[in-house]
Amino acid sequence: MIEVDGLTVVYGRGEASVPAVAGLSMDVDTYELVSVVGPSGCGKSTLLFVLDGLLKPTAGRVRVHGEEVRGVRRDVALILQDAGLLPWKTVRQNAELALRLQGRKESADKVLADLGLAGFEKRFPSELSEGMKRRVGIARALALQPRVMLMDEPTANLDSITREHIQNLLLGLWWEMGFTGVLVTHDMEEAVFLGKRIFVLSARPARVVEVIENPGMGEPGYRGTPEFAAQVAHLRGVLGGNGA
Ligand SMILES: Nc1ncnc2c1ncn2[C@@H]1O[C@H](COP(=O)(O)OP(=O)(O)OP(=O)(O)O)[C@@H](O)[C@H]1O
Ligand SMILES: [Mg+2]
C-alpha cells in the first residue's frame, strides 16, 4: 500500500525555486499496478524519487506499507528513466548495483537469465541493444525482490516491437511476483495496458486531475479489444484537454 497525501516538492530556494509537485494525493493498493501519465516535465520522475526515498518532500506525507518514507527502503525498487546503467560497469555489476548499495551479497544472475540475458553478464552496456539495456535496468530492480516496484518510462524511445515485448514482460512479472507497482509513462497504450487505474497529472507543478478506472487491464488479449481502444481514446482526450 502506498499513500501519498498532499505531496509538495520544490527544487531550490528563493527566486530560483522550481515547484515540481503541488499537493498531490494518491493511494495505491497492495498488489495493484497503476500508471501515471502527465505532460513532459510535470513532475513524474520527482514523484517516483520521493516514493523511493531518494528525495524528501517539501510538504506532505508519503507512506509505504503504513510507514513514513524516510530514505531508501529495502523492499522498494526503482527502474530509472533510460535504465540508468553505468557504462563502465558490466551487465552483472549494473544488475547488482542496487543490491550492493543496500549492502546485500545476492547474485542477479537468475534474474538476468529470467530476462533473457544469460551469457551477457560480462558485457558492457555499449555492447547491448536498447531493449537489452532496459532489461538490465529491470533486472537491477527485480534483483531486490521488491514488494513495491516504481517504473519510470521503462519503454520510452524503444521501437514498437521491443516496447510491446517489455510491456508484456512487465505484466508477466507483476502477475508472477505480485508487487505493488507505479508505472510512469507518456505512452497512452502503455498506460492502459499496465494500469488498473490511470492517474492523470496536471502540467507542472503536478497534482492529480483525473483517475481513470481500467477494469479490463490484465485480461488476456486486452490490447486487441474495443474497450482498450476506447480507453486509449478517452485518455488522449483527457490529456489533450490538459495541455499535454
Ligand atoms: N534538481 C532539480 N533542480 C531544479 N529543477 C528541477 C530539478 N529536477 C527537476 N527539475 C524540474 O522539475 C520539473 C519536474 O521534473 P521531473 O523530472 O520530475 O519531470 P517529468 O514529468 O519526469 O519529466 P519528463 O516527462 O521529461 O521525464 C521539471 O520542470 C524540471 O525542470
Ligand atoms: Mg521523468
Side-chain angles (χ1 to χ4, degrees):
M1 173 98 190
I2 301 171
E3 296 160 282
V4 181
D5 189 11
L7 173 67
T8 295
V9 180
V10 179
Y11 287 110
R13 285 174 198 278
E15 280 187 20
S17 69
V18 178
V21 179
L24 186 150
S25 298
M26 64 186 283
D27 287 347
V28 184
D29 293 333
T30 302
Y31 302 130
E32 190 183 21
L33 177 55
V34 303
S35 50
V36 174
V37 297
S40 182
C42 76
K44 302 182 295 297
S45 295
T46 301
L47 169 66
L48 292 190
F49 292 155
V50 172
L51 293 178
D52 197 41
L54 294 166
L55 196 62
K56 268 172 70 177
T58 309
R61 289 164 64 110
V62 178
R63 277 174 295 185
V64 170
H65 308 312
E67 292 168 24
E68 193 107 15
V69 175
R70 295 185 189 284
V72 178
R73 291 173 59 108
R74 226 183 130 83
D75 56 352
V76 179
L78 170 64
I79 300 174
L80 290 163
Q81 198 162 349
D82 299 320
L85 303 186
L86 302 178
W88 61 90
K89 288 193 182 283
T90 64
V91 164
R92 178 183 283 125
Q93 289 168 332
N94 267 293
E96 292 176 349
L97 189 68
L99 282 170
R100 299 297 175 262
L101 286 172
Q102 291 191 4
R104 292 162 63 172
K105 302 221 158 44
E106 294 111 291
S107 160
D109 282 2
K110 162 130 192 353
V111 176
L112 284 170
D114 289 347
L115 294 175
L117 291 162
F120 291 89
E121 296 88 347
K122 292 185 178 159
R123 300 291 187 92
F124 287 88
S126 60
E127 301 174 88
L128 307 180
S129 70
E130 272 312 309
M132 291 167 87
K133 287 184 205 168
R134 302 304 167 90
R135 281 185 274 141
V136 177
I138 295 168
R140 175 190 287 170
L142 281 183
L144 297 175
Q145 298 190 288
R147 288 207 288 161
V148 172
M149 185 76 109
L150 309 169
M151 296 164 266
D152 199 352
E153 305 201 24
T155 71
N157 306 316
L158 292 176
D159 64 86
S160 58
I161 294 173
T162 311
R163 185 182 306 144
E164 282 199 19
H165 175 71
I166 300 239
Q167 289 166 352
N168 293 337
L169 185 75
L170 290 172
L171 186 68
L173 290 167
W174 175 66
W175 273 118
E176 281 166 35
M177 297 185 55
F179 49 75
T180 303
V182 179
L183 174 114
V184 162
T185 181
H186 61 235
D187 183 292
M188 304 298 111
E189 278 89 7
E190 180 162 302
V192 174
F193 186 67
L194 289 172
K196 199 79 179 170
R197 287 182 297 151
I198 303 158
F199 290 83
V200 181
L201 305 187
S202 66
R204 187 178 68 78
R207 62 192 168 75
V208 176
V209 291
E210 186 159 334
V211 184
I212 299 170
E213 301 284 336
N214 186 31
M217 175 267 192
E219 297 205 343
Y222 185 42
R223 204 193 283 275
T225 64
E227 290 77 19
F228 183 87
Q231 287 285 52
V232 172
H234 175 65
L235 182 54
R236 249 193 207 110
V238 171
L239 271 168
N242 190 35

